Amino acid sequence: MNDAARPDPDALLAELRAQDERARRGKLRIYFGASAGVGKTWAMLSAAQRERAAGRDVVIGVVETHGRSETAALLAGLESLPLRQLPYRGRTLAEFDLDAALARKPAVILVDELAHSNAPGSRHAKRWQDVEELQAAGIEVWSALNVQHLESLNGTVGAITGVRVHETVPDTVLDEADEVVLVDVTPDELTARLAAGKVYLPQQAERAAQNFFRKGNLIALREIALRRTAEHVEDDVRGWRIEQSGRGGEAAPPAWNTSGAILACVGPDEDADQTVRTAARLAGQLNVRWHAAYVETPRLQRLEAPQRDRILAVLQLAESLGAETAVLTGEQVAEALAEQAQRLNCATVVIGRAQPAEGWRRWWPRRTLGRELARAAPGVDIVEAARVESSRRLSRPRRRGDPGVEDSDRPHARWPGYAWAAASSVAVTLLATPLAGVLELVNIVMLFLLGVVGVAMRFGRGPAALAAVLNVAAFDFFFVSPRFSFAVSDVQYLVTFVVMMGVGLLVGQLTAGLRFAAGVSTSRERRAQSLFELTRELSAALEASQVVQLGAAAVQGHFGGRALVLVADASDRLVMPAEAPPGFDPSVADWSFRQGQPAGLATATLAAQPWHYVPLKAPMRVRGVLALEPAHPRWLLIPEQAQQLDTLARQIAIALERVHYVEVAQQALVEMESERLRNALLGAISHDVRTPLTALIALAESLQAPAGSARAVDATEVARAIVAQARQLHALVNNLLDMARLESGIAGGSVSLKRDWQSVEEVVGAAIRAARPALGGMAVRTELPAALPLVEFDAVLIERVLVNLLENAGKYGAPPVVVSARATERTLELVVRDHGPGLPAAVQGREQTLFDKFTRGQAESATPGVGLGLAICKAVVSAHGGEIRAADAVGGGAEFTVTLPRRDPPEPAEPIDR
């Protein structure tokens, strides 16, 4: 197979992951029709009866029969879940019980009326969100949908029929459905069904026939439904071809390549939502990605809260239709849009159609967004969306003074700026009046211009314009001849007035633009700084508690209010705070953690909650939940702020995952080291314990032989051999016990040293005598200066160190063994040297590994020992605050040097005269 035909491993891996995700997720079948009465519910129930007869577990979650007897007859034999009763404004509403459906978990569940809005108090605001949760639980869902309930077609259908429905479904729900079943009847047949009372009751049918169910409307709706179904089928074919093209092989069809994208411009006009819907429809037809952007200019920044809410609502609509949204800033809308289109590789820009000019404005040339955009981006296609008479809005803004209304939502009072403009004009006039006879009028003009600049810097464009007008009037009235009159004797002063006015207005305009740009830069810097600081601090965090504290502090510092970072425990359960703050709902946090989706404030799930819950999604899994009660809830509706929160949550999740895997790696390292030590101990004991025990058993059996037999032995020699083997075994057990005691003491910081002033000569002599059985006949020579001072140490432990070093020399070295000592001003050095082959070649350059536990000079050797002698030496010397090292001696052999700290011994006490 050549490289061109070889499948892409990354594409294959992504395909396998997608298949695994689809296998776990339940399917969605939508019965799609042009209008009510075409038979969607009847077709769905008929298919359910066939599936039940075939043996599948089919359950009805909720079905609306609308009093149709034919439809109601199809409910027989099908299990129905009881509806959930919710109190609302003195009434009881029956709603689909999502929790009961999840607990029942059938193979197929029927959930009618996909566009239905749930009653307040439900988990989700829309029924299609309930369906998504059922799919996530692995349940196959069947539902029904009319064409007028599709979000992108809502305005088009409303313009055709004159009826605008408010219950809509995002187009992505239909696009991502596994099956779309078109239920279609002709307009004449539907009209006959309506007249026969098979659609509505007689009174409702009569009104519907006069309004919505007119033949022209039905023909248009049928065409739209057929086209929309055809688009879904085309998407299925395109997806299949793309899937086949990624598998390689000669039979695979070529991939379908698409390029470019669509950018929708969201403006403050009433018909901005129609622009978004047009862009969504165009993107669906071309099968390209699309974006929506709102450009905030200095003029638009002064919009009132209701207008800003409408813009945020349109951006939310764009997100629900599958767009990536952004709020841009700039002086010119066209330039900002052109730059965004170039950055996102957008081939088409969709804008709203400009409102026709009225009156005398029709004869006055004006600059439109389309013309400016064509000039700024000549290579981009520009599409104008038609105007509509209705628009999308957020919920009605609360009145000023209502509880919960933020200060940022209230219009700012602007009169203080104009008052300061008037006051500055008066102040400059009073200041310049005494100087009228001293300064030229040109300099007086400079003083007035200085006042305009000051007002512009502090209060912006409007007050600066007022200051310019008042300053020109004051200059003319008080300083230009004839004074105290607006009459002008010299015509040249008219030029001065015009220039003064123009300069004042220009300076005000430029200063206001600079203030706007400075505010934008400050906001961006603040977002970048908060992200940088969090990333820098999280990089140094080593424990999950540190990540929790740093993450909550960073989010709270950026958004204000209160923030909590909740992490999962070892049992994959979310750990709730010991004392929940007001308004915090643990059940919502747990739902967000389990589903991996945002919930609460500014979301479509339990939006009435005062807290916003974001799952902490790490690359491997969800690590916890970030809960935020922001100081200004409207911030979460701004795309940049929502993206900032998602980025902060992502960084926290990555840090939690990094800490988790650091702990896993440390635990694995400890377990590996423990396993290595255990294996080394078992390997050493299996050799060095078994050998003495075997010898002891053989010697004991030889003593049982009767006197005079061939197996009779000398009891004295046998006893001597038994003693030697027992001593060897005793030394091994002592080494193990000493090492355990020293290690536990060092770890616990409580090694008990019996320090006293000792004679080095006595300790060396005692060590040589104790090691004599291990040395055998090997010669030992001492080189101890006569003037060695007394040294303070634990004599028993230091003697043990010298014994182990001497035994090591007896095992691996050659005679003679030399023990020497040397005292410096602050240390005592004890050296044990042999004249053997020296240190093994395997430890050259890393001699300190000889002092590790269960390390031997030769891995496989007949020499007994478990490799604890030198480890004990290191532990004892370290407890004394000294060090021990090994090296090859000059002239051959190995040399071990023990360095102990020392201080001057105390003066001897004078004898007491009696």
Side-chain angles (χ1 to χ4, degrees):
M1 181 183 291
N2 55 24
D3 293 340
R6 182 178 294 111
D8 185 3
D10 294 335
L12 290 177
L13 183 59
E15 181 181 352
L16 291 175
R17 289 177 177 173
Q19 290 177 355
D20 181 65
E21 179 67 22
R22 288 195 296 268
R24 293 197 306 265
R25 186 176 177 85
K27 294 183 178 181
L28 173 61
R29 177 190 294 184
I30 296 179
Y31 289 85
F32 189 57
S35 65
V38 297
K40 301 182 300 299
T41 306
W42 187 88
M44 180 172 63
L45 289 174
S46 298
Q49 290 288 0
R50 291 192 296 270
E51 291 293 319
R52 184 184 68 87
R56 294 194 71 185
D57 182 17
V58 182
V59 172
I60 295 179
V62 57
V63 166
E64 299 291 345
T65 63
H66 298 287
R68 303 163 190 162
S69 58
E70 297 177 354
T71 304
L74 292 174
L75 297 175
L78 292 174
E79 177 186 351
S80 298
L81 295 178
L83 298 178
R84 182 184 179 190
Q85 305 298 321
L86 291 176
Y88 179 68
R89 293 184 178 179
R91 296 183 301 165
T92 301
L93 302 180
E95 290 288 352
F96 168 61
D97 195 338
L98 176 59
D99 292 325
L102 293 173
R104 174 64 173 80
K105 199 171 185 180
V108 179
I109 187 169
L110 277 60
V111 182
D112 202 4
E113 301 288 347
L114 189 60
H116 174 75
S117 297
N118 294 329
S122 302
R123 181 182 305 171
H124 300 294
K126 297 288 187 177
R127 184 168 289 172
W128 61 265
Q129 294 172 316
D130 296 338
V131 169
E132 286 189 340
E133 187 167 346
L134 290 172
Q135 287 184 264
I139 303 174
E140 183 176 345
V141 183
W142 295 0
S143 188
L145 181 68
N146 290 331
V147 68
Q148 66 263 31
H149 294 292
L150 277 179
E151 184 63 68
S152 64
L153 298 173
N154 184 260
T156 302
V157 175
I160 293 173
T161 63
V163 178
R164 190 70 174 269
V165 297
H166 298 286
E167 293 183 335
T168 58
V169 171
D171 286 43
T172 53
V173 176
L174 183 66
D175 295 336
E176 296 175 0
D178 299 275
E179 299 179 32
V180 174
V181 180
L182 177 65
V183 182
D184 182 47
V185 297
T186 63
D188 292 336
E189 182 180 353
L190 183 57
T191 304
R193 288 173 53 84
L194 181 66
K198 296 182 178 180
V199 179
Y200 295 128
L201 296 177
Q203 295 180 352
Q204 295 177 330
E206 183 178 356
R207 289 195 303 268
Q210 296 174 357
N211 297 291
F212 189 88
F213 282 81
R214 290 178 293 180
K215 186 172 182 179
N217 295 348
L218 297 180
I219 294 175
L221 294 180
R222 188 187 185 198
E223 178 186 4
I224 294 174
L226 291 172
R227 288 181 179 276
R228 193 65 181 84
T229 306
E231 290 176 9
H232 188 277
V233 175
E234 182 182 2
D235 291 341
D236 291 341
V237 174
R238 184 181 294 113
W240 179 84
R241 293 177 63 86
I242 292 175
E243 180 181 352
Q244 295 298 318
S245 66
R247 294 181 177 178
E250 297 180 357
W256 291 44
N257 297 320
T258 58
S259 60
I262 295 177
L263 176 63
C265 176
V266 177
D269 299 332
E270 294 281 344
D271 58 347
D273 55 344
Q274 182 63 21
T275 303
V276 167
R277 291 191 179 95
T278 302
R281 292 283 300 135
L282 188 59
Q285 293 172 358
L286 299 178
N287 191 31
V288 296
R289 56 188 173 85
W290 70 289
H291 309 263
Y294 164 68
V295 182
E296 188 172 55
T297 62
R299 181 180 64 85
L300 296 179
Q301 195 180 34
R302 299 190 297 272
L303 293 177
E304 299 293 339
Q307 295 176 289
R308 299 178 69 88
D309 289 344
R310 183 171 62 247
I311 294 171
L312 295 177
V314 176
L315 290 176
Q316 283 185 315
L317 171 64
E319 288 184 351
S320 67
L321 293 175
E324 296 181 5
T325 60
V327 175
L328 310 176
T329 54
E331 292 285 343
Q332 300 296 329
V333 175
E335 294 179 359
L337 285 177
E339 182 180 354
Q340 182 77 348
Q342 182 178 6
R343 186 177 67 86
L344 298 175
N345 191 27
C346 294
T348 306
V349 176
V350 180
I351 61 176
R353 182 170 298 172
Q355 188 173 3
E358 298 178 355
W360 62 270
R361 293 186 178 87
R362 291 180 298 175
W363 310 101
W364 186 264
R366 59 173 182 163
R367 297 161 56 188
T368 62
L369 177 60
R371 293 179 180 178
E372 294 181 358
L373 190 58
R375 188 184 305 109
V380 175
D381 296 333
I382 301 174
V383 176
E384 287 189 358
R387 300 181 61 85
V388 294
E389 297 181 357
S390 59
S391 63
R392 171 175 290 262
R393 300 174 183 270
L394 286 177
S395 58
R396 183 181 60 85
R398 288 169 288 185
R399 296 184 299 273
R400 194 182 310 179
D402 289 350
V405 178
E406 298 85 1
D407 294 337
S408 59
D409 294 340
R410 298 166 179 160
H412 297 283
R414 300 194 183 120
W415 65 266
Y418 295 98
W420 277 101
S424 68
S425 179
V426 174
V428 173
T429 302
L430 294 177
L431 176 65
T433 298
L435 303 176
V438 180
L439 299 178
E440 296 290 338
L441 292 182
V442 176
N443 296 324
I444 300 296
V445 170
M446 295 299 102
L447 293 178
F448 281 105
L449 288 179
L450 181 62
V452 173
V453 172
V455 172
M457 291 182 61
R458 180 64 180 85
F459 299 104
R461 182 187 297 105
L466 176 62
V469 173
L470 294 178
N471 286 352
V472 169
F475 177 72
D476 180 22
F477 188 82
F478 291 102
F479 300 99
V480 176
S481 301
R483 299 180 63 184
F484 306 109
S485 172
F486 288 106
V488 179
S489 60
D490 192 347
V491 181
Q492 293 183 0
Y493 283 111
L494 295 178
V495 177
T496 303
F497 297 156
V498 172
V499 173
M500 185 175 175
M501 176 73 71
V503 170
L505 295 177
L506 178 61
V507 169
Q509 177 74 15
L510 294 177
T511 306
L514 290 176
R515 291 177 68 247
F516 174 74
V520 171
S521 300
T522 301
S523 177
R524 291 177 178 174
E525 181 183 4
R526 180 172 175 266
R527 293 199 300 267
Q529 183 68 20
S530 63
L531 182 59
F532 168 74
E533 291 178 354
L534 177 61
T535 305
R536 180 186 60 188
E537 293 174 353
L538 289 180
S539 63
L542 299 178
E543 297 179 357
S545 58
Q546 294 177 318
V547 176
V548 169
Q549 182 178 3
L550 293 174
V555 174
Q556 185 170 332
H558 184 81
F559 291 92
R562 288 176 292 184
L564 294 175
V565 176
L566 312 175
V567 298
D569 57 12
S571 303
D572 199 24
R573 296 180 179 177
L574 201 61
V575 179
M576 300 299 174
E579 296 182 1
F584 176 83
D585 193 337
S587 62
V588 181
D590 185 72
W591 184 91
S592 177
F593 174 71
R594 297 297 175 190
Q595 301 297 326
Q597 298 178 5
L601 180 68
T603 67
T605 303
L606 299 173
Q609 293 286 327
W611 286 69
H612 181 75
Y613 303 86
V614 182
L616 299 177
K617 294 183 178 180
M620 297 301 296
R621 47 167 291 188
V622 178
R623 295 290 170 184
V625 171
L626 171 62
L628 170 66
E629 186 185 28
H632 304 291
R634 292 182 69 254
W635 281 15
L636 297 179
L637 301 177
I638 302 175
E640 275 67 24
Q641 297 296 339
Q643 293 171 6
Q644 179 77 0
L645 181 60
D646 291 340
T647 304
L648 294 175
R650 181 74 171 180
Q651 293 298 321
I652 297 172
I654 292 175
L656 287 173
E657 188 160 276
R658 175 181 61 81
V659 170
H660 169 72
Y661 283 113
V662 166
E663 295 175 354
V664 170
Q666 290 177 347
Q667 183 178 1
L669 184 62
V670 171
E671 292 177 354
M672 291 171 59
E673 183 67 17
S674 301
E675 184 68 15
R676 186 187 71 83
L677 293 178
R678 187 182 69 86
N679 293 336
L681 177 60
L682 291 177
I685 291 179
S686 65
H687 177 272
D688 293 299
V689 174
R690 183 174 55 187
T691 300
L693 289 177
T694 303
L696 290 174
I697 293 173
L699 292 172
E701 290 178 348
S702 66
L703 290 177
Q704 295 178 354
S709 66
R711 298 180 57 190
V713 294
D714 186 359
T716 304
E717 293 298 329
V718 172
R720 187 178 296 111
I722 290 176
V723 170
Q725 295 295 333
R727 285 180 176 175
Q728 182 179 338
L729 187 59
H730 181 265
L732 174 62
V733 174
N734 280 342
N735 280 339
L736 292 172
L737 294 177
D738 289 345
M739 192 70 243
R741 180 173 62 87
L742 290 171
E743 285 291 317
S744 62
I746 293 174
S750 59
V751 176
S752 178
L753 297 178
K754 298 180 179 180
R755 296 177 181 267
D756 200 357
W757 296 98
Q758 306 290 345
S759 170
V760 178
E761 295 89 343
E762 294 181 1
V763 174
V764 171
I768 294 174
R769 290 191 297 271
R772 179 55 62 187
L775 293 172
M778 184 177 293
V780 178
R781 189 173 70 246
T782 60
E783 296 178 358
L784 304 176
L788 275 177
L790 298 176
V791 181
E792 187 180 25
F793 54 75
D794 190 321
V796 176
L797 293 180
I798 295 300
E799 178 184 334
R800 183 64 175 166
V801 170
L802 294 175
V803 169
N804 286 350
L805 294 178
L806 290 171
E807 291 179 350
N808 185 76
K811 292 178 182 178
Y812 302 103
V817 178
V818 180
V819 180
S820 61
R822 185 173 69 91
T824 64
E825 183 178 358
R826 293 300 177 189
T827 62
L828 169 70
E829 292 184 357
L830 298 173
V831 181
V832 178
R833 174 191 174 181
D834 63 72
H835 290 76
L839 299 180
V843 299
Q844 294 293 337
R846 50 189 187 92
E847 290 81 2
Q848 286 300 318
T849 58
L850 287 172
F851 300 100
D852 294 340
K853 295 186 291 294
F854 308 110
T855 300
R856 304 176 65 184
Q858 298 177 359
E860 297 294 337
S861 173
T863 304
V866 295
L868 285 178
L870 296 181
I872 292 174
C873 294
K874 181 181 179 181
V876 171
V877 174
S878 299
H880 282 79
E883 63 178 7
I884 183 171
R885 60 185 181 273
D888 286 328
V890 179
E895 183 178 80
F896 290 84
T897 304
V898 176
T899 303
L900 299 175
R902 62 172 293 269
R903 58 189 178 92
D904 295 334
E907 296 293 335
E910 296 182 358
I912 301 176
D913 296 333
R914 294 187 180 272

